Amino acid sequence: MEQPTQSTGDESSHGDVFDAQFLRRLEQIELLARRIFRGQIRGERITKRRGRGLEFTDFRPYQTGDDLRYLDWNVSARLDKLFLKLFASEEDLSLHVLLDVSASMSVGRPEKFDYARRLAAAFAYIGVANLDRVTVSGFDASCLSSAAVFSSRRHMVRVFDTLRNFTPRGVSSFSQSMESFCAMGRSRGLVVVLSDLLTESEKGGRDIIRGLDALRHRGHEVAVVQVLSEEDIQPPLDGALELIDAETREVIRLSADDALRQAYARALAQYLDLLEHQTKARGVHYLRTSTAISFEDVMLKYLRYGAAFS
Amino acid sequence: MSGFFALPIGLIALIAVPIIIALFALRPTRVRYVVASHMLWQEALRDVREGSGLSRLLRNLSLLLFLLAALSAALALGDPRWLGVTPGAKDLVIVLDISASMRADGASDSRINMAIAEARRRIDALPVGGRIAVLTSGRYPRVQLGLENNLDTARGVLNEIAATDEIGDPPNALRLAVSLLPDRETGQVVFITDGAFDASLMDRFPAVELALVSTQESNNVAIANFDVRAEVGRDDRYQVLVTISNLSDSPVQTSLDVGAETRVLRTVAVELTANENKTVLLPMQGTMPRTLFARLDIEDGLAADNLAFTVPRLEEELRVALYTNGNFYLESVLSALPNIVVYKRNEEALTKFGQVQDAVNAITRQDFDLVIFDSLTPPRLPPGNYFFLNAIPPVAGIQERSTLTAVTLTEVSDNPLVSMVDPNALRIDVADSVFFDEGAGIHSLLKSGPHSIAVNQINEERRLIYLGFDPAESNFPLLIAFPLFIQESLRWLSPIDASRQVNHSEPGAPHWVRLPRGVDTVKIVMPGGARRVASTTTRTFRFDETSTVGLYRYEMGQYRGQFAVMLNDLEESNLRTRASRRSETPVDKSKPHTAVTETVLWPSLAALALFALLIEWMVTAFRRRAAS
């Protein structure tokens, strides 16, 4: 007997995830975001790359072929050596929102997928509001669809439509999806991954890390928001059960008791610790949330977090 | 031991067991649940499954406890009773005759093989719980297996048993067998034999069952006696005596070979009537060989008594060194004693060659068997055998005490050396008494009051006799005791002579070998060629492996000798079955003795069921509390 909480992924059965109330909350988030990023205008976001910007960052010895316009004659006269002035590169930010659309995202009440879609819309809205270039993509076994580019607030309706069209299904392969995304040659920027990171791969943690490494090696800054449902965190299971995997439909027969629930809690904690440790070691912004937490709180937390790193 | 149910209908309650299992199996189907964290559940499940066995057990503990309770209750309803039976349904002691006659052929096989087969049948027929002991009856009884429950062990012991050339001694074996039974009411002794022994022997053992393996008549001719003797006054001639017995009811013609080592010296034809004994006297030319054999050329029931050996005892001379300035009486006695060669030396010779060196050479070169010092004292003594006559021995433990005159004996030891001395008849004019240390192995032989005038000493290094007066100054030479005293003294002092070993033994009887001084290893070659090497710290060695007739050769240092093991027993050579069959009046011991004790078990089982339910309730309560 299958649980009635099983999500079909069709938002029509649950109403529009981007209803008027959501849009109002999105406005509030945008206002809060402006407060956090006050004083920053387009083209002023400083990247770690050095280039032809205006802000001086460092010197380096002159090498053949360097542009003589950037020689610092004062320093060269003092030290009797040629030195080149270096400036920080200033460029537009590309925001890539990657939404996990595998079947595992349909599990939970409320569905992780709806929750994640709202978060994706919020990230896109804030990005567009800041005049960044925003792409929104969904991924399961491969990066699949609707990698549309939006750069204006009037494109938000298309963003919502794109997100509405995503349906949670299929098997996720995180690393394969990320490698596919990288292969598309998107401009370097900030990649926000929204997923439950519950992959069926035997070495789940390694698969995630390999995918994140692929993004990093492509030059993206990476932020991961792991969305879990309460059913994932504290499964209300007891007695004789048949557990069906949402993606592979594989079945486990077991008798859930305290010992098994405790063992599950230990396994989940170990897995989350692994993800946190590995992402931290790679400079990946990692944020874990539950569908029980309002998405506004998550966004504010992320914006503060992101501001500190910008 | 066994049990039964007084109310078997109660066992219908056992139907509860499959019902419980069915109810567990038919519980509602599993709830299906879709999860995203499938891999984490697999890991958790693996973790739990790899947990302790106790954990796995606890998961199904309720079921196990319910089953235990149901099973116990059902069995309790059946009112089970436990029958306790006294241990040892039957103890059986098998006595197997392995004497020489068992080598003879029986009706279908050799008698010993038939006996072993009978023993196997007895073991196979032993009731469950019975114990078995196996003895063999030869020259001596031997316990091959004590009372044992493991019948396979008993069968294995039987495989190792074979007949010997020994003379049987059934009474000894049967006495030992009966003594092995802890309870004669529940035990049985079976003597498996060919019955070739005196029928009256079994009358002493009415409780012993006699199992005769063969009553078939078997003809046998045996050498009953074999001896050799020297002809008086002729060193180049000797006589061989062979006694031959025909132990059958028909006349026999055969030939007799007499030889030395492997060479046949004489062959004579022998003709015997039924049951006749005949002694053949064969005069032989030449020096008497060291070993002789006699052999009957006949195919009969028993081969062991068709061959006999003898090892003639050769008298060897006793070599005596006598240091004296002249002693008529002593020299006269020594010259009169047989097989004694005296090498006389005077005081000058002792002085010339050095007292100590001469004595040492005498002993170590084994030129002399013993040394007599007559009124002469060497400065000290090396190990050896000494007779001191009217001279104080220079040994620790003996000191001169005083010179006595007109000595009257007051005490004569019961030592055989002086047992013939009559204290009332002996008159001594002058004697030297000695102090001695009893801890040094010295004993007084003759005493006059508190004074010892004759002592002897024996220890690992030395044998010594001291006589503290000159025979010429007493009437001792006039008494018959004097030559006897000298003869006994020389015999006692003479070294253990390997040539005087006992040369003949019965099969199975231990043979004692006396070792020469300084030798502690004996090498023995048995008739079949097998060799045995043994060491001993004593002067005698006991050899037990004499169950086969033949010539046994041994080597002790430089000395080589032999002894013969011969059957020479007409009672054993007589293969006729003489013992009466007792099976017509068997003593029925076959019923196993049992004392049944009945124990009611349902209260214990009911208590167990209640206990299981109580434990289940506690486990459930504990789980609920933990869950909350």
Side-chain angles (χ1 to χ4, degrees):
Chain A
M1 184 173 65
E2 206 151 317
Q3 280 291 88
T5 57
Q6 171 73 32
S7 171
T8 62
D10 181 4
E11 66 272 9
S12 62
S13 63
H14 308 293
D16 190 354
V17 292
F18 306 123
D19 54 13
Q21 186 184 357
F22 171 74
L23 294 176
R24 279 196 298 276
R25 291 158 73 183
L26 210 56
E27 290 287 347
Q28 292 170 358
I29 290 171
E30 199 269 336
L31 288 173
L32 288 169
R34 282 178 184 278
R35 199 173 299 162
I36 291 170
F37 293 117
R38 180 173 294 165
Q40 296 182 358
I41 59 174
R42 177 177 178 265
E44 282 189 335
R45 194 154 297 160
I46 301 170
T47 71
K48 291 177 182 176
R49 287 183 304 219
R50 295 188 178 105
R52 297 180 181 181
L54 296 175
E55 188 172 341
F56 166 76
T57 57
D58 203 353
F59 293 102
R60 73 166 169 80
Y62 171 78
Q63 292 176 348
T64 305
D66 284 341
D67 192 341
L68 295 176
R69 291 178 299 173
Y70 294 103
L71 281 175
D72 190 324
W73 297 107
N74 293 329
V75 175
S76 301
R78 247 194 331 267
L79 300 177
D80 200 22
K81 274 188 175 180
L82 294 177
F83 280 91
L84 210 65
K85 286 191 288 185
L86 300 177
F87 298 90
S89 172
E90 295 175 1
E91 61 184 20
D92 292 342
L93 178 67
S94 292
L95 176 63
H96 306 287
V97 180
L98 300 181
L99 175 64
D100 185 355
V101 293
S102 66
S104 68
M105 292 294 285
S106 65
V107 173
R109 181 177 287 273
E111 279 186 6
K112 289 183 285 185
F113 185 65
D114 289 343
Y115 191 90
R117 278 197 296 190
R118 286 191 176 102
L119 283 177
F123 278 110
Y125 189 82
I126 293 170
V128 169
N130 285 317
L131 303 179
D132 291 331
R133 287 185 300 165
V134 177
T135 63
V136 176
S137 305
F139 69 92
D140 48 13
S142 61
C143 197
L144 67 141
S145 60
S146 301
V149 180
F150 311 103
S151 58
S152 155
R153 189 175 297 188
R154 29 175 228 274
H155 294 149
M156 277 308 295
V157 175
R158 288 170 53 199
V159 171
F160 292 148
D161 288 341
T162 300
L163 290 172
R164 277 193 194 97
N165 289 333
F166 287 146
T167 302
R169 65 187 175 192
V171 180
S172 66
S173 173
F174 190 86
S175 60
Q176 193 177 340
S177 301
M178 297 304 112
E179 284 162 3
S180 299
F181 174 77
C182 293
M184 292 168 70
R186 295 291 180 188
S187 59
R188 285 175 291 193
L190 176 62
V191 177
V192 177
V193 180
L194 298 164
S195 170
D196 58 2
L197 300 180
L198 296 175
T199 173
E200 191 46 39
S201 169
E202 185 178 346
K203 304 291 183 183
R206 289 187 188 176
D207 186 48
I208 303 294
I209 298 306
R210 195 162 65 241
L212 295 176
D213 283 342
L215 295 173
R216 286 176 56 245
H217 295 153
R218 183 68 177 82
H220 296 293
E221 283 190 64
V222 184
V224 177
V225 180
Q226 184 180 19
V227 181
L228 296 173
S229 67
E230 284 301 299
E231 285 83 349
D232 292 330
I233 298 170
Q234 286 185 323
L237 305 180
D238 198 8
L241 298 170
E242 274 187 1
L243 297 187
I244 303 168
D245 183 64
E247 293 181 9
T248 64
R249 314 307 292 178
E250 189 181 341
V251 176
I252 308 175
R253 289 182 174 79
L254 50 81
S255 293
D257 55 9
D258 288 342
L260 189 62
R261 282 191 290 271
Q262 287 170 10
Y264 174 84
R266 281 196 301 273
L268 177 64
Q270 285 177 1
Y271 182 60
L272 298 180
D273 286 347
L274 172 73
L275 291 177
E276 194 165 355
H277 177 74
Q278 295 291 344
T279 52
K280 187 176 180 181
R282 285 164 173 76
V284 173
H285 311 316
Y286 173 74
L287 186 65
R288 183 166 62 237
T289 185
S290 160
T291 54
I293 301 172
S294 69
F295 84 97
E296 300 98 312
D297 292 344
V298 178
M299 287 304 302
L300 288 175
K301 188 175 181 181
Y302 175 77
L303 290 173
R304 290 194 182 97
Y305 183 79
F309 284 90
S310 61
Chain B
M1 290 182 289
S2 61
F4 67 96
F5 290 96
L7 192 60
I9 198 170
L11 293 178
I12 291 175
L14 282 173
I15 200 171
V17 173
I19 289 174
I20 290 174
I21 295 175
L23 287 176
F24 264 83
L26 296 174
R27 282 183 306 177
T29 54
R30 294 172 182 272
V31 176
R32 303 173 72 189
Y33 208 95
V34 178
V35 293
S37 50
H38 201 258
M39 52 135 180
L40 297 176
W41 280 109
Q42 284 180 321
E43 192 173 337
L45 202 56
R46 196 160 47 240
D47 184 31
V48 171
R49 283 175 177 163
E50 289 173 358
S52 66
L54 183 62
S55 302
R56 291 198 297 274
L57 174 66
L58 287 175
R59 279 201 295 278
N60 292 318
L61 188 59
S62 290
L63 171 61
L64 295 176
L65 289 169
F66 271 126
L67 285 175
L68 177 63
L71 197 62
S72 302
L75 292 175
L77 289 172
D79 191 11
R81 311 288 175 93
W82 182 258
L83 288 179
V85 183
T86 54
K90 184 179 179 183
D91 290 337
L92 178 65
V93 180
I94 291 177
V95 183
L96 265 176
D97 188 355
I98 59 166
S99 64
S101 64
M102 295 296 285
R103 286 187 184 275
D105 288 337
S108 58
D109 199 349
S110 70
R111 296 184 180 185
I112 186 66
N113 286 345
M114 294 174 68
I116 290 172
E118 174 66 16
R120 288 186 195 284
R121 281 192 290 275
R122 299 285 178 149
I123 292 173
D124 293 341
L126 200 64
V128 176
R131 297 186 298 173
I132 186 85
V134 179
L135 275 73
T136 53
S137 170
R139 176 69 175 79
Y140 296 103
R142 293 186 179 89
V143 178
Q144 305 290 349
L145 177 71
L147 281 173
E148 171 69 53
N149 289 104
N150 191 337
L151 303 185
D152 288 336
T153 304
R155 295 185 184 101
V157 167
L158 291 179
N159 290 336
E160 303 296 322
I161 291 177
T164 64
D165 293 334
E166 298 175 10
I167 301 166
D169 186 5
N172 258 341
L174 296 179
R175 268 194 291 273
L176 179 60
V178 171
S179 70
L180 285 180
L181 287 176
D183 183 357
R184 297 184 186 181
E185 294 299 318
T186 63
Q188 172 72 25
V189 176
V190 178
F191 184 29
I192 305 176
T193 176
D194 57 358
F197 53 85
D198 183 5
S200 64
L201 291 179
M202 292 307 296
D203 296 340
R204 287 184 259 169
F205 304 96
V208 173
E209 181 185 352
L210 183 65
L212 296 174
V213 294
S214 175
T215 56
Q216 181 183 354
E217 293 300 326
S218 181
N219 295 329
N220 190 34
V221 179
I223 297 175
N225 192 25
F226 179 41
D227 206 352
V228 61
R229 65 188 181 195
E231 283 194 10
V232 178
R234 297 292 299 271
D235 292 338
D236 59 343
R237 296 187 60 161
Y238 59 96
Q239 296 174 340
V240 172
L241 296 92
V242 184
T243 303
I244 305 169
S245 294
N246 179 13
L247 298 165
S248 65
D249 297 327
S250 55
V252 170
Q253 288 184 337
T254 181
S255 64
L256 172 68
D257 295 334
V258 175
E261 299 294 338
T262 58
R263 186 164 54 95
V264 176
L265 301 176
R266 288 281 298 274
T267 299
V268 293
V270 180
E271 194 168 332
L272 297 165
T273 59
N275 301 309
E276 181 190 7
N277 282 350
K278 179 182 282 184
T279 298
V280 178
L281 176 63
L282 298 174
M284 309 290 281
Q285 291 284 347
T287 308
M288 188 185 299
R290 296 186 69 85
T291 59
L292 283 164
F293 70 84
R295 183 173 58 210
L296 285 174
D297 185 15
I298 189 171
E299 294 284 335
D300 60 0
L302 186 61
D305 54 11
N306 295 337
L307 181 65
F309 294 88
T310 185
V311 181
R313 178 178 297 174
L314 302 178
E315 294 292 342
E316 293 193 357
E317 295 170 336
L318 185 66
R319 295 152 299 178
V320 178
L322 173 61
Y323 286 88
T324 180
N325 289 323
N327 189 323
F328 171 76
Y329 299 113
L330 179 61
E331 293 176 36
S332 299
V333 170
L334 291 176
S335 63
L337 292 175
N339 297 323
I340 290 180
V341 178
V342 178
Y343 298 86
K344 184 179 175 184
R345 302 190 175 190
N346 57 22
E347 186 174 7
E348 291 178 358
L350 185 65
T351 306
K352 182 178 178 182
F353 293 103
Q355 296 175 343
V356 174
Q357 284 301 318
D358 192 42
V360 169
N361 291 338
I363 300 303
T364 56
R365 295 206 311 266
Q366 295 184 341
D367 288 340
F368 307 107
D369 296 320
L370 63 94
V371 183
I372 300 175
F373 294 99
D374 174 34
S375 302
L376 296 173
T377 303
R380 59 189 176 86
L381 288 181
N385 307 301
Y386 301 100
F387 189 112
F388 280 84
L389 185 64
N390 194 30
I392 303 295
V395 296
I398 298 179
Q399 291 178 327
E400 184 175 1
R401 181 176 187 179
S402 60
T403 301
L404 307 175
T405 57
V407 180
T408 302
L409 290 183
T410 57
E411 184 178 333
V412 176
S413 165
D414 56 1
N415 191 308
L417 288 173
V418 292
S419 59
M420 74 298 292
V421 174
D422 181 1
N424 298 320
L426 184 59
R427 298 285 183 268
I428 304 168
D429 295 336
V430 180
D432 291 329
S433 66
V434 291
F435 289 112
F436 63 89
D437 180 7
E438 291 186 359
I442 303 171
H443 307 280
S444 176
L445 297 174
L446 302 174
K447 292 181 79 173
S448 175
H451 303 277
S452 292
I453 59 171
V455 298
N456 70 331
Q457 180 187 25
I458 180 168
N459 56 32
E460 283 298 313
E461 295 184 343
R462 180 185 301 126
R463 285 191 176 204
L464 182 148
I465 295 174
Y466 165 70
L467 186 65
F469 59 91
D470 186 352
E473 295 181 340
S474 70
N475 66 345
F476 199 19
L478 304 178
L479 302 177
I480 190 64
F482 180 65
L484 295 176
F485 171 72
I486 297 298
Q487 184 183 26
E488 288 301 314
S489 296
L490 297 185
R491 181 177 298 171
W492 186 76
L493 287 171
S494 64
I496 295 172
D497 190 348
S499 68
R500 296 176 188 171
Q501 306 280 1
V502 175
N503 292 332
H504 300 88
S505 289
E506 287 180 355
H511 184 82
W512 293 90
V513 178
R514 304 177 71 189
L515 280 73
R517 178 173 288 128
V519 177
D520 59 1
T521 302
V522 184
K523 299 175 184 175
I524 296 181
V525 181
M526 298 165 67
R531 293 173 180 272
R532 298 286 184 274
V533 178
S535 296
T536 176
T537 55
T538 61
R539 302 295 299 278
T540 56
F541 168 71
R542 172 180 166 147
F543 185 67
D544 289 311
E545 296 183 62
T546 59
S547 59
T548 305
V549 298
L551 198 63
Y552 292 69
R553 304 176 191 277
Y554 57 87
E555 181 180 326
M556 301 181 294
Q558 299 293 325
Y559 186 80
R560 287 179 173 79
Q562 52 266 317
F563 63 90
V565 173
M566 293 188 296
L567 186 54
N568 286 2
D569 185 273
L570 283 180
E571 192 69 20
E572 191 62 44
S573 293
N574 187 353
L575 302 180
R576 298 183 182 101
T577 300
R578 285 150 280 159
S580 60
R581 183 183 289 275
R582 199 173 291 280
S583 56
E584 288 81 2
T585 56
V587 181
D588 187 7
K589 298 281 187 180
S590 59
K591 285 184 182 175
H593 176 73
T594 56
V596 178
T597 56
E598 188 175 297
T599 306
V600 177
L601 296 179
W602 74 262
S604 303
L605 290 167
L608 180 62
L610 291 174
F611 182 70
L613 291 174
L614 176 64
I615 295 295
E616 199 283 332
W617 177 79
M618 291 173 65
V619 168
T620 304
F622 176 77
R623 281 181 173 167
R624 284 177 181 166
R625 183 182 300 174
S628 65

